[in-house]
């Protein structure tokens, strides 16, 4: 990048750079984000009547393209440049256009001065740097391979098997000896005493099973294999056993990545899984739409069901039916004594449609009953998590009659609890963030002190650093969740380098090129969400009831608004009422477009109707705002706002009824990490318009099976929807085409079967990697513990003291 800047300064465009800088200074801003920079550049090109070629292809245009932020300090400008995904360079441009490269520390000091102009604290803050601790792990080189960590790790491990075969085969041998189920030895017994003997016995066992009928059940030849040193776990038939032994034989003789993954993915080593999701109202009925309760609950419940099914299948294929193996999945969440009519006050609840999947609710310790007996906002939850993890460990050990095999954290608080549990129980830890608040709230780290009373970001961001670095592997729903796009920073990438003025500097917060990151998108529950055309699977009475509720039912207790013309095409959205989900933005977009109102009705399913019914401050603000927009644009007769909580069955049917009316689903979030409602609407056959900020970019293929919108540009959003509606009116087949393409997209890529098969493969491979490199991770974990006890815990204790008086 320095070469580009130098070329620019040595070219005729130097005067253009000077003029552009002058335009920046006239803005009277200190901090320019990417959109600001592009807008100023566009205005500059227009003002000086620059050619189209200059605007897009000049040296200055290239510099603007790669510039992520510009900070103005005194007469100097700091350019934060992102030459490629997951990398950053920083340059200071002086008033006389001299260029100096800046260090990360200098950049963080400069950012601090923006906040503390009169009290700069340069040089006396804690610096956090996780970089040196990743030398135990191989790193990916090409940014396009980020998120494919398991593929890279397989290549690395198989190369080690070749380079240092003695040591790594010893590791593999010792790893195979570990596995048991309820005290019964699996895979190999102590009859096989070394990895050399293992290699010999594998060939003997192969010769034996290849002589048996392929479909002969394992129990028929079990004792023959045990005499050779092979315990249950190799297969349920002679053919399956032969396949597994053959893969191991190949792995020993000529290892390669595919063989390694194929073998380890068959090892029966996971029977007991914990999914940690502490905050919000976690239940199966009557909870969706409550504060902090939405897609995450749906995700975790569906994941639990699918994991149990996959674990049962894996155990059957491994030949463990004779051991009466019963895999168990526990969703660990919080017990809320004052449960407001939900089942959130029940300690144990079986997950519907499963044999052995449970919701285990553990209460918070009673520091102050006014807080701990009631729902607590996710932003206030932090002081209780350490003691919650200690209490949860006892409950989990009792339920499992031992320890689990895998712990999966969800969201920032769940991931911190997963870290504490995994550290105490020495179990493989997986993180799933869903969404990281740091990306949602602009300048949330820079101005954390101003936001601390409301959001407590110092605790949240510290918890994120702890959990994401401690995790054995991290699952994201999309690639951009990790490292963004060529012109936007990813959620995890935003933790690479940042400051929290007066608290600490993060010089290197996460190794983005670590193989711990894997993209594994979720599925959609096909029992509830399926195409509207599958009329044989729909219940007519449900369809009629939902149709009446959406368009005509008069029930002021839970529905606001009566439609003048219920037959207009429905423009539909369903989400929590919070600022990020931006339903008020969609209402304003609708209100500002008479043409959209002419063609469509706006139907919103969103939380509460009245401020006094809500306990969430952000929801209260959005309720007031939505009423104001309805009055401001006189949307009476054109909008329906349903403050209802839907069962899964009704939630699925609501999309199909919208599809019956050839409606449209709009997801207008200011940022969406993934977007389960997008999958739900698409599989139902509803053409979907979704935010271009976040995960929808990877779900939807624009204008093929859905459409992108910029929810901050209301006029453009309205125009895109109107264009679609107009095309549908002129060509009735157009709606059907997009509808069918939406359905096909989900079935090809986003099923829970694909998700859970991949997740369990990852858990096994990272379990092997963790076993092989455990000693090398200990220094990282000690560093993380220091961060927890010296930064997180004192701040959590301070917040707890504040809670005593509420």
């Amino acid at each position: 990048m320095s070469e580009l800047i130098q070329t620019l300064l040595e070219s005729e465009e130097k005067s253009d750079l000077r003029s552009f800088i002058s335009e920046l200074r006239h803005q009277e801003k200190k901090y320019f984000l990417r959109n600001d920079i592009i807008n100023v550049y566009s205005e500059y090109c227009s003002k000086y009547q620059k050619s189209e070629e200059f605007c897009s292809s000049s040296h200055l245009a290239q510099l603007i393209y790669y510039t992520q932020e510009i900070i103005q300090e005194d007469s100097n400008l700091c350019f934060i440049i992102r030459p490629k995904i997951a990398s950053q360079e920083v340059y200071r441009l002086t008033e006389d256009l001299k260029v100096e490269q800046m260090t990360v520390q200098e950049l963080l000091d400069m950012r601090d001065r923006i906040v503390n102009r009169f009290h700069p604290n340069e040089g006396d803050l804690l610096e956090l740097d996780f970089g040196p601790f990743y030398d135990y792990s191989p790193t990916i080189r090409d940014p396009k391979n980020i998120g494919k960590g398991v593929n890279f790790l397989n290549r690395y491990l198989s190369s080690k098997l070749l380079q240092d075969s003695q040591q790594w085969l010893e590791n593999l041998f010792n790893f195979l000896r570990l596995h048991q189920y309820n005290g019964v030895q699996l895979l190999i017994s102590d009859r096989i005493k070394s990895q050399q003997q293992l290699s010999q016995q594998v060939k003997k066992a192969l010769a034996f099973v290849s002589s048996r009928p392929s479909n002969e059940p394992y129990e028929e030849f079990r004792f023959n294999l045990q005499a050779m040193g092979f315990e249950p776990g190799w297969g349920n038939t002679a053919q399956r056993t032969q396949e597994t032994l053959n893969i191991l034989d190949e792995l020993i003789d000529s290892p390669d990545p595919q063989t390694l993954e194929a073998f380890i993915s068959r090892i029966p080593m996971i029977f007991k899984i914990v999914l940690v999701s502490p905050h919000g109202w976690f239940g199966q009925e009557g909870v969706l739409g409550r504060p902090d309760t939405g897609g995450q609950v749906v995700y975790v419940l569906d994941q639990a069901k699918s994991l149990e099914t996959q674990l049962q299948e894996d155990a059957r294929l491994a030949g463990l039916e004779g051991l009466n193996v019963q895999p168990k999945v526990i969703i660990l969440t919080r017990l809320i004594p004052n449960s407001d009519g939900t089942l959130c006050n029940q300690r144990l609840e079986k997950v519907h449609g499963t044999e052995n999947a449970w919701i285990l609710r553990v209460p918070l310790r009673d520091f102050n009953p006014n807080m701990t007996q009631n729902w607590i906002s996710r932003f206030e939850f932090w002081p209780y998590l350490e003691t919650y993890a200690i209490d949860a460990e006892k409950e989990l050990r009792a339920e499992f009659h031992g320890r689990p095999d895998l712990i999966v954290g969800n969201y920032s608080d769940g991931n911190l609890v997963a870290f504490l549990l995994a550290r105490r129980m020495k179990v493989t830890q997986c993180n799933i963030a869903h969404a990281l608040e740091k990306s949602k709230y602009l300048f949330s780290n820079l101005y954390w002190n101003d936001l601390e009373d409301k959001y407590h970001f110092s605790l949240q961001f510290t918890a994120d650093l702890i959990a994401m670095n401690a995790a054995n592997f991290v699952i994201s729903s999309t690639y951009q969740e990790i490292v963004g796009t060529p012109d936007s920073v990813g959620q995890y990438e935003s933790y690479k380098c940042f400051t929290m003025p007066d608290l600490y500097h993060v010089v290197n917060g996460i190794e983005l090129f670590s193989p711990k990151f894997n993209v594994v998108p979720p599925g959609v529950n096909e029992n509830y969400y399926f195409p509207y055309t599958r009329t044989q699977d729909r219940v007519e009475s449900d369809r009629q009831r939902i149709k009446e509720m959406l368009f005509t039912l008069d029930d002021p207790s839970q529905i606001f608004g009566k439609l003048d013309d219920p037959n207009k095409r429905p423009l539909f959205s369903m989400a929590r009422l919070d600022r990020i989900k931006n339903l008020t933005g969609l209402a304003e977009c609708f209100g500002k477009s008479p043409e959209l109102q002419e063609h469509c009705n706006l139907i919103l399913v969103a939380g509460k109707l009245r401020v006094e019914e809500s306990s969430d401050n952000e929801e209260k603000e959005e309720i007031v705002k939505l009423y104001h927009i309805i009055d401001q644009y006189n949307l009476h007769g054109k909008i329906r706002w349903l403050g209802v909580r839907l069962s899964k069955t009704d939630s699925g049917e609501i999309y199909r009824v919208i599809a019956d009316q050839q409606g449209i689903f709009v997801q207008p979030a200011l940022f969406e990490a993934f977007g389960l409602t997008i999958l739900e609407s698409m599989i139902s056959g509803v053409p979907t318009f979704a935010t271009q900020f976040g995960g929808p970019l990877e779900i939807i293929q624009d204008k093929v099976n859905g459409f992108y919108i910029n929810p901050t540009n209301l006029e453009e959003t309205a125009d895109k929807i109107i264009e679609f509606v107009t095309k549908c009116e002129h060509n009735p087949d157009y709606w059907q085409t997009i509808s069918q393409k939406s359905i096909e997209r989900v079935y090809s890529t986003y099923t829970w079967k694909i998700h859970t098969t991949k997740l369990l493969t990852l858990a096994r491979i990272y379990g092997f990697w963790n076993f092989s490199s455990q000693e090398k991770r200990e220094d990282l974990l000690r560093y993380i513990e220091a961060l927890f006890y010296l930064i997180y815990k004192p701040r959590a204790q301070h917040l707890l003291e504040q809670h005593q008086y509420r």
Side-chain angles (χ1 to χ4, degrees), residues 785-802:
E785 282 183 339
L787 185 57
F788 177 81
Y789 288 108
L790 299 178
I791 300 291
Y792 180 91
K793 192 168 180 176
R795 299 195 70 82
Q797 186 62 37
H798 178 67
L799 180 55
L800 184 63
E801 289 165 6
Q802 293 177 20

Side-chain angles (χ1 to χ4, degrees), residues 397-459:
R397 285 187 183 276
E399 288 298 320
F400 283 128
H401 304 293
R403 64 179 188 174
D405 303 308
L406 173 67
I407 297 176
V408 181
N410 290 271
Y411 200 76
S412 297
D413 49 6
N415 286 325
L416 184 71
V417 173
F419 156 69
L420 294 169
L421 288 170
R423 184 71 169 138
R424 291 170 67 87
M425 293 197 275
K426 295 181 171 53
V427 175
T428 301
Q429 175 195 349
C430 167
N431 275 18
I432 305 177
H434 299 289
L436 292 162
E437 301 288 349
K438 189 169 175 295
S439 301
K440 291 184 183 180
Y441 295 85
L442 196 60
F443 297 129
S444 51
N445 60 285
L446 204 56
Y447 294 98
W448 71 273
N449 243 325
D450 299 337
L451 302 166
E452 190 70 354
D453 286 346
K454 186 175 183 181
Y455 293 116
H456 307 292
F457 285 141
S458 67
L459 285 159

Side-chain angles (χ1 to χ4, degrees), residues 109 112 119-127 502-505:
D109 284 340
D112 285 356
H119 304 285
N121 291 317
E122 294 182 37
D124 62 354
L125 275 185
L126 172 67
E127 281 191 354
D502 297 325
L503 185 61
Y504 53 64
H505 281 173

Side-chain angles (χ1 to χ4, degrees), residues 1 59 201 257 268 307 341 366 414 476 488 541 564 591 604 698 707 734 760 806:
M1 245 337 107
H59 297 307
Q201 293 300 95
L307 279 170
D366 263 343
S476 71
S488 67
S541 58
D564 294 338
L604 302 177
E698 291 177 45
F707 304 88
Y734 185 59
L760 290 173
R806 294 191 187 179

Side-chain angles (χ1 to χ4, degrees), residues 14 48 95 189 228 237 279 307 323 352-353 393 407 428 452 528 552 555 607 727 737 763 805:
K14 184 174 181 178
Y48 291 96
E95 191 171 21
S189 68
M228 298 181 207
T237 63
H279 76 247
L307 279 170
L323 301 182
H352 301 331
E393 181 190 0
I407 297 176
T428 301
E452 190 70 354
Y528 298 107
T552 57
D555 182 358
K727 279 187 179 179
T737 300
Y805 303 103

Side-chain angles (χ1 to χ4, degrees), residues 36 120 129 205 242 247 400 450 456 493 682:
D36 303 322
D129 185 356
Q242 183 182 351
I247 295 168
F400 283 128
D450 299 337
H456 307 292
E493 188 180 357
M682 289 175 72

Side-chain angles (χ1 to χ4, degrees), residues 366-380:
D366 263 343
F367 294 99
N368 173 4
N370 289 333
M371 297 294 293
T372 53
Q373 298 288 307
N374 298 297
W375 167 83
I376 297 175
S377 162
R378 70 185 189 276
F379 296 116
E380 300 283 338

